[in-house]
Amino acid sequence: MSQSVSGAANQAAHQERSTFRTCFGVAEFRVLFGSQLLLVLGDTVKMLAFSVLVYARTGSPGLAALAYMIGFLPQVAGGMLLLSLADRWRPRALMVAGDLLRVATCLVLSAGDLPIGVMLALVFAAGVPTPLFSAARAAVLPDVLAGDAYVLGRAVFTTTLAGAQVAGLAVGGGLLAVTGAHHALLITAALSLGSAALTRWGLRDRPARSADPARAAGPADPTGPAHPAGPAGLAGPARAARPARPDRAGSTPHSGAVRTTLRVNRALLADRAIRGLLLAGWLPPMLSIGAEAVYVPYLTGEGTAWGAGVVLAAAAAGMGVGEFAVGRFAPPAARERLTVPLALLLGAPLLGFAARPGVAGAAALAALAAAGLAYNLGLQRRFLDAVPEKVRGQAFGLQTSGLMTAQALGAAAVGAVAELVPAHLAIALSGCGVIAVVLALRGDLRGDRRGDLGADGRGDLGGDGRGDLRGDGRADVGADLRGGPSGRISPPPGGAGARPSPAEPAG
């Protein structure tokens, strides 16, 4: 009886509608927001300045393009091999380390005397651990905000990301014109240093998830709420976990980072509910955002190359407006009901490119399609509730790395189609692909697999190694996610079930 009362209380807490004002009323959220804003601005300026620096020294458009994107390429490897460290190390220390690594990289690049190959290798190497830092940042947000406030906090980050990227390109262009690439890199280093200082002295020093005894073991209060404090979804004390169980796989909490990352990734993907939510977050944007890679050749072929920037800016604005509107005006239950219609919106407007619109029409269609990315707001709470808390950092990192990979593959796929058919038809065909994917994933988008989450809504993960879900009130992600004799994983209590938008450099 007490458990059912607790479950009802938790569900009510999750469904309570929050506001953006509530989110910004939390001091630690303001710190995360400010540091994220500095990071996105700095990263955008850095990529632009480094690309200009390489082009000025080599005169090669290909190397300049490589310099612009090379920091993203190694993040797939980092996401596949290192993400378990996001749950083994203190999140604040990881976030500060990531900022300081950016400072050091920009300082070395600004020296300007290194060979081009060494500079490219440096940026490539610095990009490998980036998913680790982003995962730590993403995993802290549910500790700061809970329930509907968490969903709105994610919406704020996504909207800010879009605006900061546009502003970063504008500011970066101005800095390059006034100061040159070397000084622009020094300014980027200063922005990253400011983010590090803000994080270090503004965030509480939380323990590593896999090393926190209160999370890893100990009796849970069966009658206590998941978030006992705070109105409108403000996070309360850390959740208690259930007692540990022996590890049938014989693994230890301190096994190798690469081995643990691969094992946990396999276990997360083996679970039906988690896999469905990941695919629902990866595949619909894959072709929709991939179509953006063809806007430039399409408009260039139409004789309006100048319009590519207008259309891409319209897409960024549409994404921000969509996230804000859905987050601000749709209550929690409505957001989850809107996942399928909004996901279809990612593809439907792209069909209009079959009519070969001009710049104004293309901008309107691109903005409308990008607004559909707000469908992700209906998935975020379910993803958060489905993932065991002890591997939350790795789960968010896997989500982001997978999205980045999907977007790259989508751009390559739509580009390959554009080699066979006219660019405007390639964009329209990508819209058809989005609609087909959404219809295939409609069960995961709607949450029809919620029966896998057990009667109490805790996302109980079965221990058979296949990710099948049990209803016995105990949570294992197979033998693979058990952390040794005292490392039993418990999912966050309560509720029924959680991009970057184009993926966060930003977690």
Side-chain angles (χ1 to χ4, degrees):
M1 176 66 178
S2 61
Q3 290 182 346
S4 62
V5 172
S6 174
N10 292 335
Q11 184 69 17
H14 276 298
Q15 292 296 332
E16 183 179 357
R17 186 173 182 179
S18 189
T19 64
F20 290 114
R21 184 189 299 272
T22 301
C23 296
F24 281 102
V26 181
E28 285 195 304
F29 177 76
R30 295 196 298 271
V31 170
L32 286 172
F33 174 81
S35 64
Q36 181 76 9
L37 182 61
L38 291 174
L39 278 182
V40 175
L41 285 172
D43 275 349
T44 305
V45 173
K46 182 192 77 173
M47 291 188 302
L48 186 61
F50 183 47
S51 178
V52 170
L53 180 63
V54 169
Y55 184 73
R57 290 183 56 183
T58 66
S60 169
L63 283 177
L66 178 62
Y68 188 80
M69 294 299 297
I70 195 169
F72 291 109
L73 299 177
Q75 293 189 33
V76 176
M80 293 302 297
L81 302 177
L82 300 178
L83 280 177
S84 65
L85 297 176
D87 296 302
R88 294 185 178 193
W89 293 346
R90 291 177 176 269
R92 189 181 72 180
L94 269 177
M95 294 160 64
V96 172
D99 293 337
L100 295 180
L101 178 61
R102 290 181 178 90
V103 172
T105 302
C106 290
L107 290 177
V108 173
L109 292 175
S110 67
D113 296 329
L114 294 174
I116 294 296
V118 174
M119 296 170 70
L120 292 172
L122 174 64
V123 176
F124 184 93
V128 172
T130 297
L132 180 61
F133 308 136
S134 299
R137 184 178 299 273
V140 165
L141 184 59
D143 290 334
V144 175
L145 301 174
D148 189 48
Y150 162 74
V151 178
L152 292 188
R154 291 279 300 211
V156 168
F157 276 10
T158 302
T159 304
T160 303
L161 175 66
Q165 286 174 338
V166 175
L169 289 171
V171 171
L175 288 175
L176 288 171
V178 174
T179 68
H182 295 290
H183 289 92
L185 287 169
L186 290 176
I187 293 173
T188 295
L191 290 172
S192 297
L193 189 61
S195 175
L198 187 60
T199 301
R200 170 60 182 81
W201 284 285
L203 281 186
R204 182 163 61 86
D205 188 20
R206 293 171 171 81
R209 297 182 188 282
S210 61
D212 184 358
R215 295 177 187 268
D221 179 3
T223 61
H227 303 287
L234 301 190
R239 304 177 179 92
R242 300 174 185 267
R245 294 175 61 195
D247 182 6
R248 294 185 315 204
S251 62
T252 67
H254 302 290
S255 57
V258 173
R259 181 184 303 173
T260 301
T261 300
L262 293 173
R263 184 174 65 246
V264 174
N265 282 347
R266 284 197 303 268
L268 289 170
L269 291 170
D271 179 74
R272 291 175 299 180
I274 296 175
R275 182 178 65 249
L277 288 167
L278 286 171
L279 292 175
W282 292 342
L283 297 184
M286 177 178 173
L287 295 176
S288 178
I289 296 173
E292 294 181 5
V294 186
Y295 289 166
V296 172
Y298 165 61
L299 291 165
T300 301
E302 295 293 305
T304 52
W306 57 270
V310 174
V311 174
L312 290 172
M319 179 182 69
V321 170
E323 293 270 352
F324 175 80
V326 175
R328 174 64 179 84
F329 299 110
R335 290 188 212 119
E336 297 192 7
R337 290 195 301 269
L338 286 172
T339 52
V340 173
L342 288 172
L344 289 171
L345 185 62
L346 282 171
L350 299 181
L351 301 180
F353 277 86
R356 299 181 67 172
V359 173
L365 292 172
L368 191 59
L373 285 167
Y375 87 96
N376 253 309
L377 293 179
L379 302 179
Q380 288 167 6
R381 184 175 62 83
R382 279 190 276 144
F383 184 75
L384 175 65
D385 286 348
V387 169
E389 185 178 1
K390 193 177 178 182
V391 294
R392 181 195 291 166
Q394 179 163 347
F396 279 119
L398 178 63
Q399 183 186 48
T400 299
S401 298
L403 181 60
M404 293 181 67
T405 303
Q407 290 173 8
L409 293 175
V414 180
V417 173
E419 294 289 334
L420 305 175
V421 302
H424 68 285
L425 292 181
I427 298 173
L429 289 173
S430 71
C432 295
V434 172
I435 293 172
V437 166
V438 170
L439 293 178
L441 293 173
R442 62 188 182 278
D444 297 297
L445 288 164
R446 289 196 305 246
D448 290 350
R449 296 189 187 277
R450 192 168 301 181
D452 290 345
L453 295 176
D456 62 357
R458 292 175 179 264
D460 300 324
L461 304 179
D464 60 1
R466 299 190 305 273
D468 293 331
L469 306 182
R470 302 189 308 198
D472 61 357
R474 299 194 301 273
D476 299 324
V477 185
D480 289 338
L481 291 193
R482 285 201 285 276
S486 61
R488 168 101 165 56
I489 296 171
S490 293
R499 141 184 199 265
S501 51
E504 325 167 77

